[in-house]
Amino acid sequence: MSNINNKPTHNEDERYEKLGRTIVGISWFFFALKFIAVASLVALVILYFIGKPLWLAPLIGFGAFTLYRLFWRFVIGLFIKWSR
């Protein structure tokens, strides 16, 4: 319940913050799964045509996602550093 001024209480703020973190975490997990699946599928097609072992495709997909995350952490880190 809200107080008289229609502002959320501290407990409501914490609850909404936890709910938001949960939603973002689940969304991020599904994004990661989709990214890895698409990158693995692309790698699978390429590996098939060049005659390499197909079991490398999921490793390449995971590696592509790792590089993607590292790249964006670097970019965001530079942005934060420059904005100070």
Side-chain angles (χ1 to χ4, degrees):
M1 268 275 150
S2 297
N3 60 14
I4 295 175
N5 296 329
N6 288 328
K7 293 183 181 177
T9 62
H10 183 66
N11 290 337
E12 287 177 333
D13 286 343
E14 286 180 4
R15 187 178 61 179
Y16 292 144
E17 191 172 331
K18 286 180 184 179
L19 179 63
R21 283 188 196 144
T22 303
I23 291 171
V24 168
I26 291 170
S27 298
W28 179 252
F29 178 74
F30 283 118
F31 169 74
L33 282 179
K34 287 189 285 186
F35 188 98
I36 292 170
V38 169
S40 295
L41 185 62
V42 170
L44 184 72
V45 171
I46 293 170
L47 290 171
Y48 178 77
F49 283 118
I50 63 174
K52 298 295 179 184
L54 300 181
W55 59 267
L56 292 173
L59 298 176
I60 293 171
F62 185 74
F65 179 72
T66 303
L67 288 175
Y68 169 81
R69 261 189 68 94
L70 289 173
F71 173 75
W72 278 111
R73 282 189 176 203
F74 176 72
V75 168
I76 291 172
L78 285 177
F79 180 72
I80 290 171
K81 184 186 250 185
W82 287 341
S83 66
R84 288 184 185 176

